[in-house]
Amino acid sequence: MDIKKVYEELTKQIEKEKIKIDEPMKNHTTFKTGGNADLFLKLDKIEDIQYGLKVAKEYGVPFFVLGNGSNILVLDKGIRGIVIKPDLKNVIIEKEPDDKVKVKVGAGVMLPFLARKLYEQKIAGMEFACGIPGSIGGAVYMNSGAHGSEMENVVKTTTYLTPEGEVLVLKNQEQDFSYRHSVFEKMQGVIVESELELMIGDKEEIKRKMDENTAFRKAKQPITLPSAGSFFKRGDDFIAAKLIDDCKLKGTKVGGAQVSTLHAGFIVNSGNATSKDIIELAKLVKEKVEKEFGKVLIPEVQIIGEE
Ligand SMILES: Cc1cc2nc3c(=O)[nH]c(=O)nc-3n(C[C@H](O)[C@H](O)[C@H](O)COP(=O)(O)OP(=O)(O)OC[C@H]3O[C@@H](n4cnc5c(N)ncnc54)[C@H](O)[C@@H]3O)c2cc1C
């Protein structure tokens, strides 16, 4: 790919300061590892995202959509092509009869910010997400969840751009949500907005739940170290963290990557880890668990880019 040519084409519509060349992905992922992206676009207008997609298609350049980078591992040679980060930050709250509330949220809005904003307006239903460090777009894509709820329970519709830039609106059932899965995994486009269906609740009760969830995370998760949350998915009949703990792998290190000493399901960057360290540690964990228990661990974290 001729990066300069693609860059020039992009600048015909998109302001230069929104386009970065050779951008280190370690600055955009919670693991704080990973090589550079050829082109990185942080876009706050749907028309600019559509234009980015059009240019990618015209030049045959692959693109990757980034949220807050809290569920991905970018490999050390980085990402060839264009990374598009939708920076759509709208939150529109519409109160309806019977204490129902419709909330339209841009894909770039962070879950903890949204949970707090809704709490201030006595709106219940997003307390579960107050400690998940992801964007709405990433959370819908992943059907993120915690503390007994998940995005599936609150998302009514999602507005989405196909790789050709066409606008589609999908209803909840059409989003094919299941555990850490949605239809968007196979659609390869860009989520731009979701409409949530929530309820007016009791402000004290909302606060109590959020405080409880936050305290749980502080006590049980290594939130002060870079990670991407639970590295492996829960199995049908097992909890990955429990099996890893039972293999006595807590604290095991490869380079700067470490199985958290606090929560065996988390791999953390304990300082200067490379993505290769993380991959090798994940491989070691997977092999040990398979050998000891015959269970196959599947990563929840999405691994992207070049090794
Ligand atoms: C400390 C910590 C705790 C965590 N706890 C939890 C938890 O309790 N529960 C949980 O489910 N997860 C948890 N996670 C994982 C992660 O935060 C969530 O999965 C989060 O919702 C991912 O959102 P993101 O914006 O960071 O997505 P990213 O990591 O940027 O992307 C994830 C996937 O979504 C796609 N994507 C992102 N935005 C868009 C978009 N606008 N359009 C189309 N595709 C898009 C990406 O291409 C990628 O495939 C945790 C992570 C950390 C670091």
Side-chain angles (χ1 to χ4, degrees):
M1 142 175 144
D2 185 342
I3 296 177
K4 270 224 162 117
K5 239 179 169 180
V6 178
Y7 174 83
E8 270 157 28
E9 196 65 39
L10 288 166
T11 57
K12 287 185 184 162
Q13 174 166 325
I14 301 170
E15 293 150 68
K16 281 189 178 155
E17 58 270 23
K18 295 180 182 166
I19 311 172
K20 299 226 163 87
I21 299 176
D22 215 19
E23 176 69 1
M25 288 302 291
K26 64 173 189 248
N27 297 341
H28 300 282
T29 61
T30 54
F31 253 136
K32 306 221 171 300
T33 64
N36 297 358
D38 291 335
L39 287 161
F40 183 93
L41 315 182
K42 190 171 168 185
L43 303 176
D44 57 2
K45 291 193 205 113
I46 291 180
E47 310 83 71
D48 285 353
I49 300 175
Q50 284 171 314
Y51 185 71
L53 293 172
K54 180 171 163 266
V55 172
K57 195 175 166 90
E58 260 173 36
Y59 283 78
V61 176
F63 69 89
F64 176 77
V65 189
L66 179 74
N68 192 47
S70 67
N71 204 56
I72 58 166
L73 176 67
V74 179
L75 297 175
D76 295 315
K77 288 204 176 130
I79 301 176
R80 301 292 69 78
I82 303 177
V83 171
I84 298 178
K85 183 177 166 89
D87 193 30
L88 305 160
K89 293 280 173 70
N90 55 298
V91 179
I92 300 166
I93 297 174
E94 290 168 20
K95 297 201 171 145
E96 300 198 311
D98 303 326
D99 280 350
K100 284 195 181 147
V101 187
K102 223 196 258 175
V103 184
K104 289 185 184 160
V105 200
V109 174
M110 288 290 289
L111 295 173
F113 169 85
L114 180 67
R116 185 122 215 112
K117 192 174 173 83
L118 295 174
Y119 151 71
E120 278 157 12
Q121 300 213 24
K122 292 199 301 189
I123 301 167
M126 283 301 283
E127 301 90 326
F128 77 91
C130 69
I132 303 179
S135 66
I136 280 287
V140 169
Y141 182 100
M142 296 297 306
N143 188 21
S144 298
H147 314 290
S149 192
E150 55 192 356
M151 293 306 289
E152 174 177 9
N153 300 335
V154 293
V155 174
K156 194 170 176 215
T157 60
T158 291
T159 307
Y160 171 86
L161 301 176
T162 66
E164 289 72 38
E166 189 194 345
V167 182
L168 293 185
V169 180
L170 298 191
K171 296 194 183 105
N172 180 296
Q173 304 86 310
E174 292 168 329
Q175 294 174 58
D176 190 26
F177 289 120
S178 59
Y179 172 66
R180 303 296 170 264
H181 166 84
S182 74
V183 74
F184 301 106
E185 275 180 25
K186 62 171 187 232
M187 288 176 73
Q188 292 188 332
V190 188
I191 294 165
V192 289
E193 182 181 281
S194 284
E195 186 181 306
L196 312 182
E197 201 168 41
L198 302 167
M199 295 288 288
I200 293 291
D202 178 73
K203 202 169 176 189
E204 283 311 305
E205 180 57 13
I206 298 169
K207 182 169 185 319
R208 191 194 60 72
K209 279 193 191 160
M210 283 172 47
D211 287 349
E212 196 177 288
N213 295 346
T214 306
F216 176 86
R217 276 179 197 273
K218 276 194 182 150
K220 306 271 182 200
Q221 298 181 357
I223 51 175
T224 54
L225 288 171
S227 80
S230 296
F231 197 91
F232 296 103
K233 287 188 185 183
R234 195 179 64 204
D236 287 340
D237 58 350
F238 64 86
I239 311 260
K242 165 97 177 56
L243 300 188
I244 299 167
D245 201 4
D246 290 347
C247 287
K248 310 237 174 307
L249 287 169
K250 266 187 181 164
T252 305
K253 273 186 149 185
V254 172
Q258 184 177 35
V259 176
S260 164
T261 51
L262 191 60
H263 186 311
F266 279 53
I267 290 181
V268 296
N269 177 352
S270 67
N272 298 322
T274 60
S275 294
K276 186 161 182 262
D277 294 340
I278 296 168
I279 291 284
E280 281 183 8
L281 180 59
K283 192 165 163 250
L284 182 155
V285 169
K286 188 173 158 33
E287 282 171 4
K288 191 90 196 260
V289 167
E290 212 164 320
K291 194 162 164 232
E292 293 272 324
F293 298 106
K295 301 290 180 195
V296 179
L297 297 184
I298 313 262
E300 178 173 324
V301 171
Q302 312 219 329
I303 298 158
I304 56 164
E306 286 185 358
E307 241 173 297

